[in-house]
Amino acid sequence: REKERGARSERERETMSWTELTTFNAFDAYDDGIVRGFKSALLTESDYENLMQCNSLEDVKMFLQATDYGTFLSNVVELDPATIVEKATQRMVEEYNYLVGNAGETLSAYLDFLRHPYMIDNIVLVLSGTTRNDSSLSKLLEACHPMGMFEELLTVGVASTPKELYELVLIESPVGKYFRNFQFEDMHELKPELIRARLYKAYLEDFYD
């Protein structure tokens, strides 16, 4: 009887595998091709060794033009490390958005979850900056990571208190649910690191659920 149950379980697993394979091309093959393409475009160990031999940022730019990075720095007049990081990040975000736009429902939801930590970091940055009047809103938004940008974040200027920020802006955002248990009257007294830690905890609990 145990052998029969084991054999039946094995047949069920095989049936599920074949079922997944028959639907793979319809739902996941294109996404798989995109990811494989991105992986093949990554710089190799040899590429990094060659980059270490470059004597200037212009040499770095010329070397990268011969890779899959192509001409992503072609419109940059004055090169500096910060600009290279900015352009490389912009390229990564564009490719990520392309993958999300072509992903199926399940993969798309997973990829959106991966953006939530960046959104949390951006919210904490804007919140801490506006409450302390450290910088203008435009400068704070410029400092936000592009992976964590979302439509509602651009309208934070309409809120004058943390509670208004939640009720008018964040409640409809992808990460608004992580603020539900906050005591907004106390947020002015909380350190940004503590706010971030609480939001990360809520995010991780939501992710694993």
Side-chain angles (χ1 to χ4, degrees), residues 3-80:
K3 291 182 178 180
E4 291 177 359
R5 281 199 292 265
R8 186 166 61 250
S9 298
E10 184 65 28
R11 286 196 299 272
E12 290 174 352
R13 284 194 294 269
E14 290 178 357
T15 301
M16 290 178 61
S17 297
W18 279 110
T19 302
E20 291 172 355
L21 286 174
T22 56
T23 60
F24 178 79
N25 284 340
F27 299 107
D28 302 306
Y30 187 63
D31 302 330
D32 182 71
I34 294 174
V35 173
R36 289 177 184 272
F38 290 162
K39 181 180 179 181
S40 67
L42 295 175
L43 297 180
T44 64
E45 181 178 352
S46 176
D47 290 330
Y48 282 108
E49 289 176 354
N50 289 329
L51 282 173
M52 292 175 62
Q53 305 302 317
C54 293
N55 295 318
S56 66
L57 293 180
E58 283 296 331
D59 291 341
V60 171
K61 177 180 178 180
M62 291 183 63
F63 174 79
L64 291 176
Q65 287 177 346
T67 69
D68 284 307
Y69 279 85
T71 58
F72 83 111
L73 293 173
S74 59
N75 295 326
V76 178
V77 178
E78 295 184 7
L79 274 178
D80 59 71

Coordinates of all heavy atoms in Angstrom, one line a residue, residues 3-80:
K3 N 3.8 1.5 -1.2 CA 4.4 1.6 -2.6 C 3.4 2.2 -3.6 O 3.8 2.9 -4.4 CB 4.9 0.2 -3.0 CG 6.1 -0.4 -2.3 CD 6.5 -1.7 -2.8 CE 7.7 -2.2 -2.1 NZ 8.1 -3.6 -2.6
E4 N 2.2 1.8 -3.4 CA 1.1 2.3 -4.3 C 1.0 3.8 -4.1 O 0.9 4.6 -5.1 CB -0.2 1.6 -4.1 CG -0.2 0.1 -4.5 CD -1.5 -0.5 -4.1 OE1 -2.4 0.2 -3.5 OE2 -1.7 -1.7 -4.4
R5 N 1.0 4.3 -2.9 CA 0.9 5.7 -2.6 C 2.1 6.4 -3.2 O 2.0 7.5 -3.7 CB 0.7 6.0 -1.1 CG -0.7 5.7 -0.6 CD -0.9 6.4 0.7 NE -0.1 5.8 1.7 CZ -0.6 4.9 2.6 NH1 -1.8 4.5 2.5 NH2 0.2 4.4 3.5
G6 N 3.3 5.8 -3.0 CA 4.5 6.5 -3.5 C 4.5 6.6 -5.0 O 4.9 7.6 -5.6
A7 N 4.0 5.5 -5.7 CA 4.0 5.5 -7.1 C 2.9 6.5 -7.6 O 3.2 7.2 -8.6 CB 3.6 4.1 -7.6
R8 N 1.8 6.6 -6.9 CA 0.8 7.6 -7.3 C 1.3 9.0 -7.2 O 1.1 9.9 -8.0 CB -0.5 7.4 -6.5 CG -1.7 8.3 -6.9 CD -3.0 7.8 -6.3 NE -2.9 7.9 -4.8 CZ -2.9 6.9 -4.0 NH1 -2.9 5.6 -4.6 NH2 -2.9 7.0 -2.7
S9 N 2.0 9.3 -6.1 CA 2.6 10.6 -5.9 C 3.6 11.0 -6.9 O 3.6 12.1 -7.4 CB 3.3 10.7 -4.5 OG 2.3 10.5 -3.5
E10 N 4.4 10.0 -7.3 CA 5.4 10.2 -8.4 C 4.7 10.5 -9.7 O 5.1 11.4 -10.4 CB 6.3 9.0 -8.6 CG 7.4 9.2 -9.6 CD 8.4 10.2 -9.1 OE1 8.5 10.4 -7.9 OE2 9.0 10.8 -10.1
R11 N 3.6 9.8 -10.0 CA 2.9 10.1 -11.3 C 2.2 11.5 -11.2 O 2.2 12.2 -12.2 CB 1.8 9.0 -11.5 CG 2.3 7.6 -11.9 CD 1.2 6.8 -12.4 NE 0.1 6.5 -11.4 CZ 0.2 5.5 -10.5 NH1 1.2 4.7 -10.6 NH2 -0.8 5.4 -9.7
E12 N 1.7 11.9 -10.0 CA 1.1 13.2 -9.9 C 2.2 14.3 -10.2 O 1.9 15.3 -10.8 CB 0.5 13.4 -8.5 CG -0.8 12.5 -8.3 CD -1.3 12.6 -6.9 OE1 -0.5 13.2 -6.1 OE2 -2.3 12.1 -6.6
R13 N 3.4 14.1 -9.6 CA 4.4 15.1 -9.8 C 4.8 15.2 -11.3 O 5.0 16.2 -11.8 CB 5.7 14.7 -9.0 CG 5.5 15.0 -7.5 CD 6.9 15.0 -6.8 NE 7.4 13.7 -6.8 CZ 7.2 12.8 -5.8 NH1 6.5 13.1 -4.8 NH2 7.8 11.6 -5.9
E14 N 4.9 14.0 -12.0 CA 5.2 14.0 -13.4 C 4.1 14.7 -14.2 O 4.4 15.5 -15.1 CB 5.4 12.6 -13.9 CG 6.7 11.9 -13.3 CD 6.8 10.5 -13.8 OE1 5.8 10.0 -14.5 OE2 7.8 9.8 -13.5
T15 N 2.9 14.5 -13.8 CA 1.8 15.1 -14.5 C 1.8 16.6 -14.4 O 1.6 17.4 -15.3 CB 0.4 14.6 -14.0 OG1 0.4 13.2 -14.2 CG2 -0.7 15.2 -14.7
M16 N 2.1 17.1 -13.1 CA 2.2 18.5 -12.9 C 3.4 19.1 -13.7 O 3.3 20.2 -14.2 CB 2.4 18.8 -11.4 CG 1.2 18.5 -10.5 SD 1.6 18.8 -8.8 CE 2.0 20.5 -8.8
S17 N 4.5 18.4 -13.8 CA 5.7 18.9 -14.5 C 5.3 19.0 -16.0 O 5.6 20.0 -16.6 CB 6.9 18.0 -14.3 OG 7.3 17.9 -13.0
W18 N 4.7 18.0 -16.5 CA 4.3 18.1 -18.0 C 3.3 19.2 -18.2 O 3.3 19.9 -19.2 CB 3.7 16.7 -18.4 CG 4.8 15.8 -18.7 CD1 5.1 14.6 -18.0 CD2 5.7 15.8 -19.8 NE1 6.2 14.0 -18.6 CE2 6.6 14.7 -19.8 CE3 5.9 16.7 -20.9 CZ2 7.6 14.5 -20.7 CZ3 6.9 16.5 -21.8 CH2 7.7 15.3 -21.7
T19 N 2.4 19.4 -17.2 CA 1.4 20.5 -17.4 C 2.1 21.9 -17.4 O 1.7 22.7 -18.2 CB 0.4 20.4 -16.2 OG1 -0.3 19.2 -16.2 CG2 -0.7 21.5 -16.4
E20 N 3.0 22.0 -16.5 CA 3.8 23.3 -16.5 C 4.5 23.5 -17.7 O 4.6 24.6 -18.2 CB 4.7 23.3 -15.3 CG 4.0 23.3 -13.9 CD 4.9 23.1 -12.7 OE1 6.1 22.9 -13.0 OE2 4.5 23.2 -11.6
L21 N 5.1 22.4 -18.3 CA 5.9 22.6 -19.5 C 5.0 22.9 -20.7 O 5.4 23.7 -21.6 CB 6.6 21.2 -19.8 CG 7.8 20.9 -18.9 CD1 8.4 19.5 -19.2 CD2 8.9 22.0 -19.1
T22 N 3.8 22.4 -20.7 CA 2.9 22.7 -21.9 C 2.5 24.1 -21.9 O 2.1 24.7 -22.9 CB 1.7 21.7 -21.8 OG1 1.1 21.9 -20.6 CG2 2.1 20.3 -22.1
T23 N 2.4 24.8 -20.7 CA 2.0 26.2 -20.6 C 3.2 27.1 -20.6 O 3.0 28.4 -20.6 CB 1.1 26.4 -19.4 OG1 1.9 26.1 -18.2 CG2 -0.1 25.5 -19.5
F24 N 4.4 26.6 -20.5 CA 5.6 27.5 -20.3 C 5.7 28.5 -21.5 O 5.9 29.7 -21.3 CB 6.8 26.6 -20.2 CG 8.1 27.4 -20.1 CD1 8.4 28.0 -18.9 CD2 8.9 27.6 -21.2 CE1 9.6 28.8 -18.7 CE2 10.1 28.4 -21.1 CZ 10.4 29.0 -19.8
N25 N 5.7 27.9 -22.7 CA 5.8 28.8 -23.9 C 4.8 29.9 -24.0 O 5.0 31.0 -24.4 CB 5.8 28.0 -25.2 CG 7.1 27.2 -25.4 OD1 8.2 27.6 -24.8 ND2 7.1 26.2 -26.2
A26 N 3.6 29.6 -23.5 CA 2.5 30.5 -23.6 C 2.6 31.7 -22.6 O 2.2 32.8 -22.9 CB 1.2 29.8 -23.5
F27 N 3.1 31.4 -21.4 CA 3.1 32.3 -20.3 C 4.5 32.8 -19.9 O 4.6 33.9 -19.4 CB 2.4 31.7 -19.1 CG 0.9 31.4 -19.4 CD1 0.5 30.1 -19.5 CD2 0.0 32.4 -19.5 CE1 -0.8 29.7 -19.8 CE2 -1.4 32.1 -19.8 CZ -1.7 30.7 -19.9
D28 N 5.5 32.0 -20.0 CA 6.8 32.4 -19.4 C 8.0 32.4 -20.3 O 9.1 32.8 -19.9 CB 7.1 31.4 -18.3 CG 6.0 31.4 -17.2 OD1 5.7 32.5 -16.7 OD2 5.5 30.3 -16.9
A29 N 7.8 31.9 -21.5 CA 9.0 31.8 -22.4 C 9.6 33.1 -22.8 O 10.9 33.3 -22.8 CB 8.6 31.0 -23.7
Y30 N 8.8 34.1 -23.0 CA 9.3 35.4 -23.4 C 10.1 36.1 -22.2 O 11.2 36.6 -22.4 CB 8.2 36.3 -23.9 CG 8.7 37.7 -24.4 CD1 9.5 37.7 -25.6 CD2 8.4 38.9 -23.8 CE1 10.0 38.9 -26.1 CE2 8.8 40.1 -24.3 CZ 9.6 40.1 -25.5 OH 10.1 41.2 -26.0
D31 N 9.5 36.0 -21.0 CA 10.1 36.5 -19.8 C 11.5 35.8 -19.6 O 12.5 36.4 -19.3 CB 9.3 36.3 -18.6 CG 7.9 36.9 -18.7 OD1 7.8 38.0 -19.5 OD2 6.9 36.4 -18.2
D32 N 11.5 34.5 -19.8 CA 12.7 33.7 -19.6 C 13.8 34.2 -20.6 O 15.0 34.3 -20.3 CB 12.4 32.2 -19.9 CG 13.6 31.3 -19.7 OD1 14.1 31.2 -18.5 OD2 14.2 30.8 -20.6
G33 N 13.4 34.5 -21.9 CA 14.3 35.0 -22.9 C 14.9 36.3 -22.5 O 16.1 36.6 -22.7
I34 N 14.0 37.2 -21.9 CA 14.5 38.5 -21.5 C 15.5 38.4 -20.4 O 16.6 39.0 -20.5 CB 13.3 39.3 -21.0 CG1 12.3 39.7 -22.1 CG2 13.8 40.6 -20.4 CD1 11.1 40.4 -21.6
V35 N 15.3 37.6 -19.4 CA 16.2 37.4 -18.3 C 17.5 36.8 -18.8 O 18.6 37.2 -18.4 CB 15.6 36.5 -17.2 CG1 16.6 36.2 -16.1 CG2 14.4 37.2 -16.6
R36 N 17.4 35.8 -19.7 CA 18.6 35.2 -20.2 C 19.5 36.2 -21.0 O 20.7 36.2 -20.9 CB 18.3 34.0 -21.1 CG 17.8 32.8 -20.4 CD 17.4 31.7 -21.3 NE 16.8 30.5 -20.6 CZ 17.6 29.5 -20.1 NH1 18.9 29.5 -20.3 NH2 17.0 28.5 -19.5
G37 N 18.8 37.1 -21.7 CA 19.5 38.2 -22.4 C 20.2 39.1 -21.5 O 21.3 39.5 -21.7
F38 N 19.5 39.5 -20.4 CA 20.1 40.4 -19.4 C 21.3 39.8 -18.8 O 22.3 40.4 -18.5 CB 19.1 40.8 -18.3 CG 18.0 41.7 -18.8 CD1 16.8 41.8 -18.1 CD2 18.1 42.4 -19.9 CE1 15.8 42.7 -18.5 CE2 17.1 43.3 -20.4 CZ 15.9 43.4 -19.6
K39 N 21.2 38.5 -18.5 CA 22.3 37.7 -17.9 C 23.5 37.7 -18.8 O 24.6 37.9 -18.3 CB 21.9 36.3 -17.5 CG 23.0 35.5 -16.8 CD 22.5 34.1 -16.5 CE 23.6 33.3 -15.8 NZ 23.2 31.9 -15.5
S40 N 23.3 37.4 -20.1 CA 24.4 37.4 -21.0 C 25.1 38.7 -21.2 O 26.2 38.8 -21.6 CB 23.9 36.8 -22.3 OG 23.0 37.7 -23.0
A41 N 24.4 39.8 -20.9 CA 24.9 41.1 -21.1 C 25.8 41.6 -19.9 O 26.4 42.7 -19.9 CB 23.8 42.1 -21.3
L42 N 25.8 40.8 -18.8 CA 26.5 41.2 -17.6 C 28.0 41.2 -17.9 O 28.5 40.4 -18.7 CB 26.3 40.3 -16.4 CG 24.8 40.3 -15.9 CD1 24.7 39.2 -14.8 CD2 24.5 41.7 -15.3
L43 N 28.8 42.1 -17.3 CA 30.2 42.2 -17.5 C 30.8 40.9 -16.9 O 30.4 40.5 -15.9 CB 30.8 43.4 -16.9 CG 30.3 44.8 -17.5 CD1 31.0 45.9 -16.8 CD2 30.6 44.9 -19.0
T44 N 31.9 40.4 -17.6 CA 32.6 39.3 -17.1 C 33.7 39.6 -16.2 O 34.1 40.8 -16.1 CB 33.0 38.4 -18.3 OG1 34.0 39.2 -19.0 CG2 31.9 38.1 -19.2
E45 N 34.4 38.6 -15.6 CA 35.6 38.9 -14.8 C 36.7 39.5 -15.7 O 37.4 40.4 -15.2 CB 36.0 37.6 -14.2 CG 37.3 37.7 -13.3 CD 37.7 36.4 -12.7 OE1 37.0 35.4 -12.8 OE2 38.8 36.4 -12.1
S46 N 36.8 39.1 -16.9 CA 37.8 39.6 -17.8 C 37.5 41.1 -18.1 O 38.4 41.9 -18.2 CB 37.8 38.8 -19.1 OG 38.7 39.4 -20.1
D47 N 36.2 41.4 -18.3 CA 35.8 42.8 -18.5 C 36.2 43.7 -17.4 O 36.7 44.8 -17.6 CB 34.3 42.9 -18.7 CG 33.8 42.3 -20.0 OD1 34.6 42.3 -21.0 OD2 32.7 41.8 -20.1
Y48 N 36.0 43.2 -16.2 CA 36.4 44.0 -15.0 C 37.9 44.2 -14.9 O 38.4 45.2 -14.5 CB 35.8 43.4 -13.7 CG 34.3 43.7 -13.5 CD1 33.4 42.7 -13.7 CD2 33.9 45.0 -13.2 CE1 32.0 43.0 -13.5 CE2 32.5 45.3 -13.0 CZ 31.6 44.3 -13.2 OH 30.3 44.5 -13.0
E49 N 38.6 43.2 -15.3 CA 40.0 43.3 -15.3 C 40.5 44.3 -16.3 O 41.4 45.1 -16.0 CB 40.7 41.9 -15.6 CG 40.5 40.9 -14.5 CD 41.0 39.5 -14.9 OE1 41.4 39.4 -16.1 OE2 41.1 38.6 -14.0
N50 N 39.9 44.4 -17.4 CA 40.2 45.4 -18.4 C 39.8 46.8 -17.9 O 40.5 47.8 -18.2 CB 39.5 45.1 -19.7 CG 40.0 43.9 -20.4 OD1 41.2 43.6 -20.3 ND2 39.2 43.2 -21.2
L51 N 38.7 46.9 -17.2 CA 38.3 48.2 -16.7 C 39.3 48.7 -15.7 O 39.6 49.9 -15.6 CB 36.9 48.1 -16.0 CG 35.7 48.1 -16.9 CD1 34.4 47.8 -16.1 CD2 35.6 49.4 -17.7
M52 N 39.9 47.8 -14.9 CA 40.9 48.2 -13.9 C 42.2 48.8 -14.6 O 43.0 49.5 -14.0 CB 41.3 47.0 -13.1 CG 40.2 46.6 -12.1 SD 40.6 45.0 -11.2 CE 42.0 45.6 -10.3
Q53 N 42.4 48.5 -15.9 CA 43.5 49.0 -16.6 C 43.3 50.3 -17.2 O 44.2 50.9 -17.8 CB 43.9 48.0 -17.7 CG 44.2 46.6 -17.2 CD 45.3 46.5 -16.2 OE1 46.3 47.1 -16.3 NE2 45.0 45.7 -15.1
C54 N 42.0 50.8 -17.2 CA 41.7 52.1 -17.8 C 42.4 53.2 -16.9 O 42.4 53.2 -15.7 CB 40.2 52.3 -17.8 SG 39.3 51.2 -18.9
N55 N 42.9 54.2 -17.7 CA 43.6 55.3 -17.0 C 42.7 56.5 -16.8 O 43.1 57.5 -16.0 CB 44.8 55.7 -17.8 CG 45.9 54.6 -17.9 OD1 46.2 54.0 -17.0 ND2 46.4 54.4 -19.1
S56 N 41.6 56.6 -17.4 CA 40.7 57.7 -17.2 C 39.2 57.2 -17.4 O 39.0 56.1 -17.9 CB 41.0 58.8 -18.2 OG 40.7 58.4 -19.5
L57 N 38.3 58.1 -17.0 CA 36.9 57.8 -17.2 C 36.5 57.7 -18.7 O 35.6 57.0 -19.1 CB 36.0 58.8 -16.5 CG 36.1 58.8 -15.0 CD1 35.2 59.9 -14.4 CD2 35.7 57.4 -14.4
E58 N 37.2 58.5 -19.5 CA 37.0 58.4 -21.0 C 37.4 57.0 -21.5 O 36.7 56.5 -22.4 CB 37.8 59.5 -21.7 CG 37.2 60.9 -21.6 CD 35.9 61.0 -22.3 OE1 35.6 60.2 -23.2 OE2 35.1 61.8 -21.9
D59 N 38.4 56.4 -20.9 CA 38.8 55.1 -21.3 C 37.7 54.1 -20.9 O 37.4 53.1 -21.6 CB 40.2 54.7 -20.6 CG 41.3 55.5 -21.2 OD1 41.2 56.0 -22.3 OD2 42.4 55.5 -20.6
V60 N 37.2 54.3 -19.7 CA 36.1 53.5 -19.2 C 34.9 53.6 -20.2 O 34.3 52.6 -20.6 CB 35.6 53.9 -17.8 CG1 34.3 53.2 -17.4 CG2 36.7 53.6 -16.8
K61 N 34.6 54.8 -20.6 CA 33.5 55.0 -21.5 C 33.7 54.3 -22.8 O 32.8 53.6 -23.4 CB 33.3 56.5 -21.8 CG 32.2 56.9 -22.8 CD 32.1 58.4 -22.9 CE 31.1 58.8 -23.9 NZ 31.0 60.3 -24.1
M62 N 34.9 54.4 -23.4 CA 35.2 53.7 -24.7 C 35.2 52.2 -24.5 O 34.7 51.5 -25.4 CB 36.6 54.2 -25.1 CG 36.7 55.7 -25.6 SD 38.3 56.1 -26.2 CE 38.4 55.0 -27.6
F63 N 35.6 51.7 -23.4 CA 35.6 50.2 -23.2 C 34.2 49.7 -23.2 O 33.8 48.7 -23.8 CB 36.4 49.8 -22.0 CG 36.3 48.4 -21.7 CD1 37.0 47.4 -22.4 CD2 35.4 47.9 -20.7 CE1 36.9 46.1 -22.1 CE2 35.2 46.6 -20.5 CZ 36.0 45.7 -21.2
L64 N 33.3 50.4 -22.4 CA 31.9 50.0 -22.2 C 31.2 50.1 -23.6 O 30.2 49.3 -23.7 CB 31.2 50.9 -21.2 CG 31.7 50.7 -19.7 CD1 31.0 51.6 -18.8 CD2 31.5 49.2 -19.3
Q65 N 31.6 50.9 -24.5 CA 30.9 51.0 -25.8 C 31.1 49.7 -26.5 O 30.2 49.4 -27.4 CB 31.4 52.2 -26.6 CG 31.0 53.5 -26.1 CD 31.6 54.7 -26.8 OE1 32.5 54.5 -27.6 NE2 31.0 55.9 -26.7
A66 N 32.1 48.9 -26.2 CA 32.3 47.7 -26.9 C 31.6 46.5 -26.3 O 31.6 45.4 -26.8 CB 33.8 47.4 -27.0
T67 N 30.9 46.8 -25.2 CA 30.1 45.8 -24.5 C 28.6 46.0 -24.8 O 28.2 46.8 -25.5 CB 30.4 45.8 -23.0 OG1 29.8 47.0 -22.4 CG2 31.9 45.8 -22.7
D68 N 27.8 45.2 -24.1 CA 26.3 45.3 -24.3 C 25.8 46.6 -23.6 O 24.6 47.0 -23.9 CB 25.6 44.1 -23.6 CG 25.7 42.9 -24.5 OD1 25.4 43.0 -25.7 OD2 26.1 41.8 -24.0
Y69 N 26.6 47.3 -22.9 CA 26.2 48.6 -22.3 C 26.1 49.6 -23.5 O 25.4 50.6 -23.3 CB 27.2 49.1 -21.3 CG 26.9 48.4 -19.9 CD1 27.4 47.2 -19.6 CD2 26.1 49.1 -19.0 CE1 27.2 46.6 -18.4 CE2 25.9 48.5 -17.7 CZ 26.4 47.3 -17.4 OH 26.1 46.7 -16.2
G70 N 26.9 49.4 -24.5 CA 26.8 50.2 -25.7 C 27.0 51.7 -25.5 O 28.0 52.1 -24.8
T71 N 26.1 52.5 -25.9 CA 26.3 54.0 -25.9 C 25.5 54.7 -24.8 O 25.1 55.8 -24.9 CB 25.9 54.6 -27.2 OG1 24.5 54.2 -27.5 CG2 26.8 54.0 -28.4
F72 N 25.4 54.0 -23.6 CA 24.5 54.6 -22.6 C 25.2 55.9 -22.0 O 24.5 56.6 -21.3 CB 24.2 53.6 -21.5 CG 25.3 53.4 -20.4 CD1 25.1 53.8 -19.1 CD2 26.5 52.8 -20.8 CE1 26.0 53.6 -18.2 CE2 27.5 52.6 -19.8 CZ 27.2 53.0 -18.5
L73 N 26.5 56.1 -22.3 CA 27.2 57.3 -21.8 C 27.4 58.3 -23.0 O 28.2 59.3 -22.8 CB 28.5 56.9 -21.1 CG 28.4 56.2 -19.8 CD1 29.8 55.7 -19.3 CD2 27.7 57.0 -18.7
S74 N 26.9 58.0 -24.1 CA 27.3 58.8 -25.3 C 26.9 60.2 -25.2 O 27.5 61.1 -25.8 CB 26.6 58.2 -26.6 OG 25.2 58.1 -26.5
N75 N 25.8 60.6 -24.5 CA 25.3 61.9 -24.4 C 25.9 62.7 -23.2 O 25.5 63.8 -23.0 CB 23.8 62.0 -24.3 CG 23.1 61.4 -25.6 OD1 23.6 61.6 -26.7 ND2 22.0 60.7 -25.4
V76 N 26.8 62.0 -22.5 CA 27.4 62.7 -21.3 C 28.6 63.5 -21.7 O 29.5 62.9 -22.3 CB 27.8 61.6 -20.2 CG1 28.4 62.3 -19.1 CG2 26.5 60.8 -19.8
V77 N 28.6 64.7 -21.5 CA 29.7 65.6 -21.9 C 30.9 65.5 -20.9 O 32.0 65.3 -21.2 CB 29.3 67.1 -22.1 CG1 30.5 67.9 -22.5 CG2 28.2 67.1 -23.1
E78 N 30.5 65.8 -19.6 CA 31.5 65.7 -18.5 C 31.3 64.5 -17.7 O 30.3 64.4 -16.9 CB 31.4 67.0 -17.7 CG 31.8 68.3 -18.4 CD 31.8 69.5 -17.5 OE1 31.6 69.3 -16.3 OE2 31.9 70.6 -18.1
L79 N 32.2 63.6 -17.8 CA 32.1 62.3 -17.0 C 32.6 62.5 -15.6 O 33.6 63.1 -15.3 CB 32.9 61.2 -17.7 CG 32.3 60.4 -18.8 CD1 33.3 59.5 -19.4 CD2 31.0 59.7 -18.4
D80 N 31.9 61.8 -14.7 CA 32.3 61.7 -13.3 C 31.7 60.4 -12.7 O 30.7 59.9 -13.3 CB 32.0 62.9 -12.4 CG 30.5 63.2 -12.4 OD1 29.7 62.4 -11.8 OD2 30.0 64.2 -13.1

